[in-house]
Amino acid sequence: MNTTTDPFQERSEAAVKDKKLRANFLSAMNGLMEKRDLAFDDKTQLEALRILGAQVRQNSLVKLPELLVELETKLIQKGVQVHWAQTPTEAVDIIQSITLKEKATKIIKGKSMVSEEIHLNDKMEQIGVECLESDLGEYIVQLAKETPSHIVMPAIHKNTAEIADLLHEKTGIERKEDALYMTEQARLQLRQNFMEADIGLSGVNFAVAETGTLCLVENEGNGRLTTTVPKTHIAIMGIEKVVEKLEDTAPLLSLLTRSATGQPITTYFNMISGPRKEDELDGPESVHLVLLDHGRTQMYQDDELLDTLRCIRCAACMNHCPVYTRIGGHAYGFTYPGPIGKILMPHLEGLDETQSLPTASSLCGACAEVCPVKIPIPDLLVRLREEANHPNAQSSNVKGAGVKRRGMEPVIWSMWRWWHQGGTRYRLMTTTLSRLRFLQPGTLSPWTNTRTLPKLAKKTFHQQMNARAKK
Ligand code: SF4
């Protein structure tokens, strides 16, 4: 039995042994993969759409600085208050100060992974403000005092029976393993929460610079209620979510919904363009947008790592990942799990905090094959592995670079190079080592904990080839 102090490894080992969790994930992920496949039945059209999606996102990133300025200008013209946050702490401070100014005590939240990224709920609780989740999956996760295990389906790790138990225990409703009944009951509670909330907080899927429009994709109508019922709306997004033109949203929306849930389009596509006007009956009195950096500018400075910012958070890479589908989202221990988390979290939290993530991959390439915006995830994982061993952290674009570099490593690699550069010494060394192969240890922990150690051949490759040539 291997003992380890690596928290990721410990959590993954526990997750792999949890049969119920594995069954929940396996059935959910199989279903999502099938739905995506059916949604993209024309593979030629899919490839053309992926190329277009990648171009749209790349174009937005190339022009990112100008587009952000244009977005800010347009939003201000429409009466939206724009705030810039370099760090999660700054973003939380901004939201707390709006909340205090509004004398708010309750915030109703639409689904927002950026709010998870800055751990907003806990921070608001510290100043006595209650954050109530309104997305059904987030609502379940909040009742269970957990974090989302998937970026699109936060409660995917729970099956119907577990959710029935949870709702019965936490809300007192009758226990019925009936999804429709449970949804109706949750809806009644959520309606009440919408009416009582002082502030609605939502994420943003795309922000259109030319029109100053914040687009929100959702299925439950909770996003629309969150952004229209309370008198104040706060939207929060990463700075990379901006696109140049309104027409850019069409291919991205098609790719996002079909890649995420296999739907041709979601039930709701909200386009928010400012607070309620004088002649309008609905909508918030004030709208704020918080633009969060949190390591994104650092990624932006690197021509290769920049590709990470193309992500539209569809989760297809997670649904198809052989590691994620077996260990689930919580084992990763960070806001974004799965392949996207492995290439994103090192920039948000630093490689020193996340060094296990880039190595938790077989580099099978399934993630890159399904990514709707063609992010070369395996290449970025290899790059991050290199960064973890970077010889000069100061010259790297990744926070925490060089964390895995050990003092002896350069010496070993220099010896390796020296050994391979001389023909005679290379032959001498390989012959000596092959003679000493009987000293091979029985276990090479942790490699052999889960694998059978292959037996070395009795004769070397050269010996075998020479023998064959003589025949
Ligand atoms: S990396 Fe690609 S597949 Fe994964 S969430 Fe982002 S857009 Fe979707």
Side-chain angles (χ1 to χ4, degrees):
M1 173 77 191
N2 178 38
T3 53
T4 171
T5 52
D6 178 351
F8 172 73
Q9 201 170 327
E10 281 177 5
R11 286 190 298 263
S12 326
E13 284 180 5
V16 165
K17 286 177 193 150
D18 185 338
K19 286 191 182 148
K20 194 156 61 156
L21 183 85
R22 285 192 64 171
N24 291 352
F25 266 97
L26 196 65
S27 96
M29 295 302 118
N30 284 346
L32 287 169
M33 283 194 284
E34 201 179 326
K35 281 183 186 160
R36 177 194 171 273
D37 200 43
L38 289 172
F40 290 120
D41 53 347
D42 183 338
K43 303 301 176 216
T44 313
Q45 191 199 55
L46 164 63
E47 196 48 26
L49 197 54
R50 288 178 75 213
I51 292 170
L52 179 59
Q55 280 170 351
V56 166
R57 287 300 297 132
Q58 195 64 21
N59 177 53
S60 309
L61 291 175
V62 168
K63 299 178 182 168
L64 186 61
E66 303 97 84
L67 293 183
L68 282 169
V69 173
E70 191 183 350
L71 176 72
E72 181 184 36
T73 309
K74 290 277 160 54
L75 286 172
I76 290 173
Q77 282 169 4
K78 291 178 165 189
V80 177
Q81 297 171 58
V82 181
H83 312 263
W84 298 85
Q86 193 74 33
T87 61
T89 308
E90 282 181 25
V92 169
D93 286 348
I94 291 164
I95 296 169
Q96 286 186 344
S97 69
I98 298 169
T99 310
L100 293 174
K101 204 167 138 203
E102 300 281 334
K103 297 189 175 52
T105 55
K106 266 189 188 176
I107 295 180
I108 188 92
K109 284 179 68 201
K111 197 169 166 312
S112 159
M113 285 311 294
V114 175
S115 78
E116 300 287 342
E117 194 181 313
I118 63 173
H119 307 293
L120 185 70
N121 293 10
D122 292 345
K123 305 283 179 190
M124 297 310 287
E125 206 179 301
Q126 286 167 14
I127 61 160
V129 175
E130 197 180 6
C131 283
L132 303 158
E133 298 290 349
S134 67
D135 171 90
L136 192 54
E138 292 276 0
Y139 173 70
I140 290 165
V141 162
Q142 188 172 39
L143 282 180
K145 297 195 186 325
E146 292 175 352
T147 53
S149 60
H150 188 276
I151 61 173
V152 173
M153 314 220 166
I156 199 93
H157 56 288
K158 292 196 182 296
N159 60 27
T160 313
E162 289 168 309
I163 295 170
D165 285 340
L166 179 77
L167 291 179
H168 173 64
E169 187 194 322
K170 300 284 179 177
T171 67
I173 64 164
E174 191 184 340
R175 188 193 180 285
K176 273 197 211 169
E177 287 185 33
D178 175 348
L180 192 60
Y181 164 78
M182 290 190 282
T183 308
E184 276 170 359
Q185 293 300 314
R187 194 174 176 206
L188 291 175
Q189 178 59 54
L190 290 171
R191 273 290 144 153
Q192 190 62 28
N193 293 349
F194 282 117
M195 303 316 291
E196 290 172 4
D198 309 294
I199 291 176
L201 188 136
S202 74
V204 176
N205 290 93
F206 318 112
V208 185
E210 74 167 351
T211 55
T213 310
L214 306 176
C215 304
L216 189 58
V217 180
E218 47 125 1
N219 271 319
E220 298 169 16
N222 66 311
R224 183 153 301 176
L225 288 168
T226 299
T227 56
T228 53
V229 176
K231 70 182 175 61
T232 302
H233 170 214
I234 303 174
I236 181 163
M237 63 180 249
I239 54 171
E240 80 282 16
K241 287 290 180 77
V242 65
V243 293
E244 188 177 10
K245 299 190 171 98
L246 196 55
E247 67 195 40
D248 290 343
T249 57
L252 295 181
L253 181 63
S254 175
L255 283 165
L256 172 61
T257 59
R258 291 201 272 174
S259 302
T261 53
Q263 293 171 276
I265 191 165
T266 40
T267 318
Y268 294 84
F269 181 62
N270 304 285
M271 300 170 83
I272 299 150
S273 52
R276 179 200 306 189
K277 298 194 182 78
E278 273 180 18
D279 57 344
E280 289 176 340
L281 292 175
D282 302 310
E285 289 165 21
S286 61
V287 176
H288 299 258
L289 174 67
V290 181
L291 287 152
L292 177 68
D293 185 324
H294 195 197
R296 288 161 173 88
T297 302
Q298 196 185 33
M299 260 180 278
Y300 189 72
Q301 286 163 4
D302 188 290
D303 289 346
E304 190 182 12
L305 299 171
L306 164 86
D307 288 347
T308 313
L309 296 172
R310 290 213 293 259
C311 178
I312 55 172
R313 305 285 191 270
C314 70
C317 56
M318 297 161 61
N319 304 344
H320 291 74
C321 173
V323 178
Y324 176 87
T325 51
R326 277 150 187 87
I327 65 172
H330 289 149
Y332 291 81
F334 294 97
T335 306
Y336 301 95
I340 179 58
K342 290 178 206 171
I343 57 169
L344 182 61
M345 288 313 305
H347 302 284
L348 308 191
E349 302 292 336
L351 258 174
D352 37 356
E353 297 294 327
T354 59
Q355 54 181 292
S356 303
L357 297 185
T359 47
S361 169
S362 63
L363 302 180
C364 70
C367 48
E369 251 176 61
V370 295
C371 176
V373 286
K374 290 182 157 285
I375 299 175
I377 299 172
D379 295 347
L380 297 177
L381 288 171
V382 172
R383 170 71 194 282
L384 287 168
R385 290 177 189 186
E386 284 169 15
E387 292 296 328
N389 290 285
H390 202 288
N392 180 6
Q394 304 304 320
S395 64
S396 169
N397 279 326
V398 186
K399 195 162 63 170
V403 63
K404 283 195 164 179
R405 193 170 171 83
R406 303 285 172 260
M408 276 305 286
E409 231 167 80
V411 180
I412 293 168
W413 287 114
S414 300
M415 283 169 61
W416 178 267
R417 191 176 54 207
W418 175 82
W419 175 19
H420 281 77
Q421 275 174 343
T424 312
R425 63 177 169 260
Y426 174 76
R427 273 194 295 280
L428 187 69
M429 285 291 280
T430 45
T431 307
T432 312
L433 284 177
S434 65
R435 297 261 189 282
L436 294 175
R437 62 185 181 278
F438 64 91
L439 293 175
Q440 179 194 21
T443 58
L444 289 172
S445 198
W447 180 257
T448 47
N449 281 339
T450 51
R451 296 172 183 84
T452 307
L453 185 67
K455 280 192 180 149
L456 286 183
K458 288 197 173 111
K459 290 186 176 169
T460 67
F461 179 72
H462 282 123
Q463 286 167 339
Q464 290 180 44
M465 292 308 288
N466 286 337
R468 186 175 289 198
K470 280 180 195 158
K471 274 185 191 168

